Amino acid sequence: MVVKTPGPSEDVGQPGEVRTDPSTTLAGWRHFVDTDPVVFETLDEQQWRSMSQPMRDVYDEARIAYHSELQVIRTSTVKEIAHQGRLLTLLNQREHGARRGMIVSGEWTTGKTTALKQLGRLHELRMRQRFPGSDRIPVVYITAPPRGSPRKLAMEFARFLGLPLISPRHNTTDVTSAVCQVMIEARTDLVLVDEIHLMNLATTAGEELSDHLKYFTEHLPATFVYAGINVERSGLFTGIRGSQLAGRSILVRTGPLPLTVEWRSLVASMENTLRLHHHEKDTLAQLADYLHQRTGGMIGSLSHLIRAAAITAILDGSERITTSTLKSIRIDHHNESNSGSSGPSRKAAG
């Protein structure tokens, strides 16, 4: 999707009303893969000032929609996961035994899901280029079901693939067989399972879910990549089943970025995506230390802070992000309580 700058008589529509299916469905996943990063060019000063109020409102709504979308920055972690994922798919393509997989583990808001989905997007685009016009489904993306069971897991795959409505009379084996058959015929070769920390192998339900997931890995000629919050401490590697999973998977850890050249480059890259009329160049770059203290080096928190500040600057008409703007933005409670910075006042009025 490309957001264009509105001309004098151009209708840009209602960008804030865009609705898409979730990425855990085939239609939603394909929309994600097909959608290029949003492009928005600001009007020059004279054009901007001469706009009528209705046109200004439309223009501002388009900019708000632009800033509301996460701009993916290829950090070292994203690059590493993409590299390791591609290596595994290449190593596994002629493997007839146990295929190697990957587990992405780390704290919340450290970019696990972003990296996982970017890996899938790159692989699917590569397969489309290699096999143009085919009806393949090279990538399947699901999330582990909460309080999961083998049937729930099979249903997540069935839902992604858009299989016809499955009735209660279809048992778990029926659903699993149908899913495997479709994925084999569709030449699926990369399966992404997010929120894997929900699967605790220390419980009976977790053991059953693990056995079922293992069945999928052994009956599908695909590379499995998992992502979850601190999976080393979630019970995923517990017991014989956990040891077997650990023995077949490489582990890539994500975490907060240290205050290094990469962090400063990340801040500068995000600042370059801003579309504000009076923002002073390198303001955020000069505040890199403050931004690190405020967010704890968490990419998700940094993205929220900068995007919310940009939208605030549009809404209040200042058209610039300042230290005061940043301090007025609330971010996640974890980082607000641990950063020791002077965030928004927590005293309720009244």
Side-chain angles (χ1 to χ4, degrees):
M1 180 177 66
V2 177
V3 178
K4 300 187 295 180
T5 305
S9 62
E10 185 176 354
D11 179 7
V12 298
Q14 300 295 330
E17 296 182 356
V18 175
R19 295 290 186 270
T20 60
D21 292 329
S23 300
T24 49
T25 65
L26 182 57
W29 175 257
R30 285 178 170 169
H31 176 80
F32 166 74
V33 173
D34 292 336
T35 302
D36 292 323
V38 175
V39 176
F40 193 104
E41 296 298 331
T42 54
L43 295 172
D44 62 39
E45 192 73 6
Q46 183 177 358
Q47 286 179 301
W48 179 59
R49 291 191 177 280
S50 65
M51 295 178 80
S52 65
Q53 190 57 50
M55 285 299 296
R56 175 74 65 86
D57 291 342
V58 172
Y59 176 70
D60 287 349
E61 284 296 326
R63 284 194 297 151
I64 289 172
Y66 164 82
H67 287 104
S68 71
E69 183 170 330
L70 174 65
Q71 302 295 309
V72 176
I73 307 295
R74 285 182 61 80
T75 64
S76 57
T77 301
V78 172
K79 293 176 183 177
E80 173 67 6
I81 291 170
H83 172 67
Q84 293 298 336
R86 187 176 189 193
L87 277 181
L88 287 169
T89 58
L90 293 174
L91 288 168
N92 287 335
Q93 61 185 343
R94 296 188 180 277
E95 180 62 67
H96 297 289
R99 293 173 178 81
R100 298 284 175 171
M102 176 166 60
I103 298 172
V104 180
S105 174
E107 298 179 56
W108 47 90
T109 72
T110 54
K112 298 179 300 299
T113 295
T114 297
L116 191 70
K117 292 174 73 172
Q118 285 301 309
L119 165 63
R121 183 174 189 267
L122 290 171
H123 180 75
E124 177 141 344
L125 291 175
R126 196 177 293 120
M127 290 299 101
R128 290 182 185 181
Q129 185 177 36
R130 186 178 175 186
F131 304 102
S134 73
D135 57 355
R136 291 174 176 244
I137 304 175
V139 178
V140 167
Y141 173 74
I142 67 166
T143 57
R147 302 184 67 178
S149 66
R151 182 178 176 81
K152 285 183 179 180
L153 180 65
M155 289 296 293
E156 288 297 319
F157 282 106
R159 186 175 297 111
F160 180 93
L161 297 168
L163 296 186
L165 185 64
I166 297 171
S167 67
R169 64 184 178 82
H170 293 109
N171 60 35
T172 302
T173 302
D174 294 333
V175 181
T176 300
S177 297
V179 164
C180 286
Q181 185 63 33
V182 170
M183 291 174 70
I184 290 172
E185 292 177 357
R187 306 299 293 270
T188 300
D189 45 21
L190 181 61
V191 177
L192 309 175
V193 183
D194 210 349
E195 308 292 341
I196 197 67
H197 56 273
L198 297 175
M199 190 174 76
N200 188 338
L201 303 193
T203 66
T204 301
E207 290 178 351
E208 293 175 352
L209 189 59
S210 173
D211 289 342
H212 207 63
L213 188 57
K214 182 172 177 286
Y215 177 90
F216 278 114
T217 63
E218 292 178 344
H219 286 76
L220 293 171
T223 299
F224 278 68
V225 180
Y226 314 93
I229 298 173
N230 297 330
V231 297
E232 305 97 311
R233 300 198 295 270
S234 70
L236 188 64
F237 298 141
T238 301
I240 296 176
R241 293 174 176 82
S243 297
Q244 189 174 49
L245 178 62
R248 290 182 176 180
S249 305
I250 65 172
L251 180 67
V252 177
R253 293 183 177 86
T254 65
L257 289 175
L259 186 56
T260 61
V261 172
E262 183 177 9
W263 174 263
R264 298 182 189 280
S265 176
L266 176 64
V267 171
S269 296
M270 287 188 175
E271 185 166 25
N272 287 336
T273 68
L274 296 177
R275 296 297 182 263
L276 302 173
H277 282 275
H278 297 154
H279 182 76
E280 296 182 14
K281 182 177 172 57
D282 295 332
T283 297
L284 297 186
Q286 294 170 11
L287 292 172
D289 289 25
Y290 164 77
L291 292 170
H292 191 273
Q293 177 194 21
R294 182 79 186 279
T295 64
M298 298 293 194
I299 297 175
S301 299
L302 176 68
S303 173
H304 173 89
L305 179 58
I306 292 177
R307 290 183 297 124
I311 291 174
T312 298
I314 295 172
L315 293 174
D316 66 19
S318 65
E319 292 291 334
R320 60 165 60 91
I321 296 177
T322 65
T323 303
S324 296
T325 311
L326 293 168
K327 287 183 177 180
S328 73
I329 302 299
R330 294 182 181 274
I331 58 173
D332 56 280
H333 174 67
H334 176 77
N335 279 305
E336 288 286 24
S337 59
N338 290 336
S339 67
S341 64
S342 53
S345 172
R346 293 171 178 78
K347 294 181 179 179

